[in-house]
Amino acid sequence: MTEYKIMIVDDHKMFRSGLRFLLNNVPKIEIVGEASNGKEFLEMAENTQIDIVLMDINMPEMNGIEATREALKRYPDMKVIVLSMHGEEEYYDQMLDAGVKGFLLKNSDADELISALEAVMAGKSYFSQELLVDILDQKRLQKLKIETVKLSQRELEVLKLICDGYSNAEIAEELFISQRTVDRHRSNLLSKTSCKNSTSLVMYAVKNKIIEVE
């Protein structure tokens, strides 16, 4: 596991302290700072090297959505993982648009947190399984009509592998096709679904029950 420089952004000091204690016991992880809101985080980021931000959504002065959007404009290589609570599903689309790479519930255990960090630093997306179930339940509750599009069998295969965190090169190897062909399928998927990135594609697949969530 490569060493990661982590920033924790949350307005509850007790939660930050607990998360720091948890991560301090994990090899190859360095906590480089804590911030209680988005504004404080952006000020600290000016003089701090950060690989991954563990970002709360609802905070005073500047929320996680605005902070993520601004941070990724300034530091496009920075990765952001959302720390969410039950009931915050309404903000997920906005966080996706802002450019986050993963979603974790605040009650996630250490193993899942480490899995999320490793996945995101490897260029993949990460979604807490429990959180995906929450999203589906929320959609059922609201009885939203989800606009479906016609995807080819190959596009569905590519989409499912994207949801499993495969890179384009790994998808090409798995399906015995060229990486250029995978690039074309990914481009078609983004166009057909009006998604902006792979993370949005995962959310689309969940909402349309293309992938199974237990």
Side-chain angles (χ1 to χ4, degrees), residues 113-131:
L113 177 58
I114 294 168
S115 294
L117 293 172
E118 291 178 330
V120 168
M121 284 308 297
K124 301 176 181 179
S125 302
Y126 189 91
F127 291 84
S128 163
Q129 191 79 357
E130 187 177 353
L131 185 148

mmCIF file of all heavy atoms in Angstrom, residues 113-131:
data_model
loop_
_atom_site.group_PDB
_atom_site.id
_atom_site.type_symbol
_atom_site.label_atom_id
_atom_site.label_comp_id
_atom_site.label_asym_id
_atom_site.label_seq_id
_atom_site.Cartn_x
_atom_site.Cartn_y
_atom_site.Cartn_z
ATOM 1 N N LEU A 113 -12.905 1.609 4.926
ATOM 2 C CA LEU A 113 -12.222 2.885 4.721
ATOM 3 C C LEU A 113 -10.915 2.682 3.974
ATOM 4 O O LEU A 113 -10.612 3.399 3.009
ATOM 5 C CB LEU A 113 -11.976 3.561 6.074
ATOM 6 C CG LEU A 113 -11.201 4.875 6.047
ATOM 7 C CD1 LEU A 113 -11.897 5.900 5.162
ATOM 8 C CD2 LEU A 113 -11.048 5.419 7.465
ATOM 9 N N ILE A 114 -10.147 1.686 4.374
ATOM 10 C CA ILE A 114 -8.876 1.401 3.707
ATOM 11 C C ILE A 114 -9.121 0.952 2.263
ATOM 12 O O ILE A 114 -8.401 1.355 1.341
ATOM 13 C CB ILE A 114 -8.088 0.341 4.487
ATOM 14 C CG1 ILE A 114 -7.664 0.908 5.847
ATOM 15 C CG2 ILE A 114 -6.866 -0.119 3.699
ATOM 16 C CD1 ILE A 114 -7.133 -0.131 6.803
ATOM 17 N N SER A 115 -10.148 0.132 2.048
ATOM 18 C CA SER A 115 -10.490 -0.308 0.686
ATOM 19 C C SER A 115 -10.833 0.884 -0.192
ATOM 20 O O SER A 115 -10.443 0.942 -1.369
ATOM 21 C CB SER A 115 -11.671 -1.275 0.729
ATOM 22 O OG SER A 115 -11.323 -2.479 1.382
ATOM 23 N N ALA A 116 -11.566 1.836 0.365
ATOM 24 C CA ALA A 116 -11.935 3.032 -0.394
ATOM 25 C C ALA A 116 -10.703 3.852 -0.755
ATOM 26 O O ALA A 116 -10.559 4.317 -1.897
ATOM 27 C CB ALA A 116 -12.913 3.875 0.419
ATOM 28 N N LEU A 117 -9.807 4.033 0.195
ATOM 29 C CA LEU A 117 -8.581 4.788 -0.062
ATOM 30 C C LEU A 117 -7.750 4.130 -1.155
ATOM 31 O O LEU A 117 -7.263 4.803 -2.078
ATOM 32 C CB LEU A 117 -7.764 4.902 1.226
ATOM 33 C CG LEU A 117 -8.368 5.748 2.356
ATOM 34 C CD1 LEU A 117 -7.531 5.605 3.628
ATOM 35 C CD2 LEU A 117 -8.480 7.202 1.960
ATOM 36 N N GLU A 118 -7.591 2.824 -1.073
ATOM 37 C CA GLU A 118 -6.795 2.103 -2.070
ATOM 38 C C GLU A 118 -7.428 2.179 -3.452
ATOM 39 O O GLU A 118 -6.738 2.375 -4.456
ATOM 40 C CB GLU A 118 -6.617 0.650 -1.642
ATOM 41 C CG GLU A 118 -5.728 0.473 -0.426
ATOM 42 C CD GLU A 118 -5.605 -0.982 -0.001
ATOM 43 O OE1 GLU A 118 -6.560 -1.752 -0.217
ATOM 44 O OE2 GLU A 118 -4.546 -1.337 0.554
ATOM 45 N N ALA A 119 -8.751 2.021 -3.514
ATOM 46 C CA ALA A 119 -9.452 2.064 -4.799
ATOM 47 C C ALA A 119 -9.313 3.426 -5.458
ATOM 48 O O ALA A 119 -9.001 3.541 -6.652
ATOM 49 C CB ALA A 119 -10.927 1.718 -4.603
ATOM 50 N N VAL A 120 -9.542 4.470 -4.682
ATOM 51 C CA VAL A 120 -9.501 5.823 -5.231
ATOM 52 C C VAL A 120 -8.091 6.204 -5.678
ATOM 53 O O VAL A 120 -7.904 6.799 -6.745
ATOM 54 C CB VAL A 120 -10.053 6.833 -4.195
ATOM 55 C CG1 VAL A 120 -9.754 8.267 -4.614
ATOM 56 C CG2 VAL A 120 -11.558 6.647 -4.029
ATOM 57 N N MET A 121 -7.091 5.838 -4.908
ATOM 58 C CA MET A 121 -5.720 6.151 -5.314
ATOM 59 C C MET A 121 -5.277 5.340 -6.527
ATOM 60 O O MET A 121 -4.360 5.731 -7.242
ATOM 61 C CB MET A 121 -4.761 5.917 -4.145
ATOM 62 C CG MET A 121 -4.818 7.002 -3.081
ATOM 63 S SD MET A 121 -4.629 8.689 -3.725
ATOM 64 C CE MET A 121 -2.971 8.640 -4.400
ATOM 65 N N ALA A 122 -5.957 4.222 -6.772
ATOM 66 C CA ALA A 122 -5.664 3.422 -7.967
ATOM 67 C C ALA A 122 -6.417 3.936 -9.190
ATOM 68 O O ALA A 122 -6.365 3.330 -10.261
ATOM 69 C CB ALA A 122 -6.024 1.960 -7.716
ATOM 70 N N GLY A 123 -7.133 5.048 -9.025
ATOM 71 C CA GLY A 123 -7.857 5.632 -10.144
ATOM 72 C C GLY A 123 -9.261 5.103 -10.321
ATOM 73 O O GLY A 123 -9.906 5.359 -11.337
ATOM 74 N N LYS A 124 -9.749 4.352 -9.331
ATOM 75 C CA LYS A 124 -11.089 3.784 -9.414
ATOM 76 C C LYS A 124 -12.057 4.580 -8.540
ATOM 77 O O LYS A 124 -11.658 5.480 -7.804
ATOM 78 C CB LYS A 124 -11.059 2.321 -8.967
ATOM 79 C CG LYS A 124 -10.120 1.452 -9.796
ATOM 80 C CD LYS A 124 -10.043 0.034 -9.268
ATOM 81 C CE LYS A 124 -9.071 -0.801 -10.099
ATOM 82 N NZ LYS A 124 -8.954 -2.198 -9.600
ATOM 83 N N SER A 125 -13.321 4.242 -8.639
ATOM 84 C CA SER A 125 -14.340 4.844 -7.798
ATOM 85 C C SER A 125 -14.714 3.858 -6.691
ATOM 86 O O SER A 125 -14.514 2.657 -6.834
ATOM 87 C CB SER A 125 -15.594 5.182 -8.617
ATOM 88 O OG SER A 125 -15.284 6.047 -9.678
ATOM 89 N N TYR A 126 -15.253 4.393 -5.602
ATOM 90 C CA TYR A 126 -15.668 3.506 -4.517
ATOM 91 C C TYR A 126 -16.996 3.975 -3.941
ATOM 92 O O TYR A 126 -17.174 5.141 -3.627
ATOM 93 C CB TYR A 126 -14.624 3.468 -3.401
ATOM 94 C CG TYR A 126 -14.935 2.402 -2.370
ATOM 95 C CD1 TYR A 126 -14.430 1.119 -2.509
ATOM 96 C CD2 TYR A 126 -15.784 2.664 -1.290
ATOM 97 C CE1 TYR A 126 -14.731 0.119 -1.603
ATOM 98 C CE2 TYR A 126 -16.095 1.671 -0.374
ATOM 99 C CZ TYR A 126 -15.570 0.403 -0.538
ATOM 100 O OH TYR A 126 -15.896 -0.585 0.353
ATOM 101 N N PHE A 127 -17.936 3.023 -3.801
ATOM 102 C CA PHE A 127 -19.236 3.312 -3.213
ATOM 103 C C PHE A 127 -19.514 2.303 -2.106
ATOM 104 O O PHE A 127 -19.444 1.100 -2.333
ATOM 105 C CB PHE A 127 -20.345 3.212 -4.261
ATOM 106 C CG PHE A 127 -20.311 4.296 -5.289
ATOM 107 C CD1 PHE A 127 -19.493 4.189 -6.401
ATOM 108 C CD2 PHE A 127 -21.092 5.431 -5.144
ATOM 109 C CE1 PHE A 127 -19.447 5.192 -7.354
ATOM 110 C CE2 PHE A 127 -21.051 6.432 -6.091
ATOM 111 C CZ PHE A 127 -20.226 6.315 -7.198
ATOM 112 N N SER A 128 -19.824 2.808 -0.936
ATOM 113 C CA SER A 128 -20.244 1.936 0.147
ATOM 114 C C SER A 128 -21.473 1.156 -0.285
ATOM 115 O O SER A 128 -22.431 1.718 -0.821
ATOM 116 C CB SER A 128 -20.568 2.773 1.386
ATOM 117 O OG SER A 128 -21.326 2.042 2.311
ATOM 118 N N GLN A 129 -21.462 -0.153 -0.083
ATOM 119 C CA GLN A 129 -22.591 -0.996 -0.477
ATOM 120 C C GLN A 129 -23.867 -0.571 0.254
ATOM 121 O O GLN A 129 -24.944 -0.504 -0.344
ATOM 122 C CB GLN A 129 -22.274 -2.462 -0.159
ATOM 123 C CG GLN A 129 -23.246 -3.456 -0.767
ATOM 124 C CD GLN A 129 -22.962 -3.711 -2.239
ATOM 125 O OE1 GLN A 129 -22.071 -3.089 -2.812
ATOM 126 N NE2 GLN A 129 -23.694 -4.610 -2.842
ATOM 127 N N GLU A 130 -23.741 -0.255 1.521
ATOM 128 C CA GLU A 130 -24.899 0.166 2.300
ATOM 129 C C GLU A 130 -25.468 1.474 1.762
ATOM 130 O O GLU A 130 -26.678 1.679 1.730
ATOM 131 C CB GLU A 130 -24.502 0.337 3.772
ATOM 132 C CG GLU A 130 -25.669 0.606 4.708
ATOM 133 C CD GLU A 130 -25.238 0.684 6.160
ATOM 134 O OE1 GLU A 130 -24.064 0.409 6.462
ATOM 135 O OE2 GLU A 130 -26.090 1.026 6.991
ATOM 136 N N LEU A 131 -24.583 2.338 1.302
ATOM 137 C CA LEU A 131 -25.012 3.611 0.746
ATOM 138 C C LEU A 131 -25.772 3.410 -0.559
ATOM 139 O O LEU A 131 -26.774 4.087 -0.818
ATOM 140 C CB LEU A 131 -23.787 4.500 0.523
ATOM 141 C CG LEU A 131 -24.001 5.928 0.045
ATOM 142 C CD1 LEU A 131 -22.900 6.811 0.610
ATOM 143 C CD2 LEU A 131 -23.979 6.007 -1.472
#
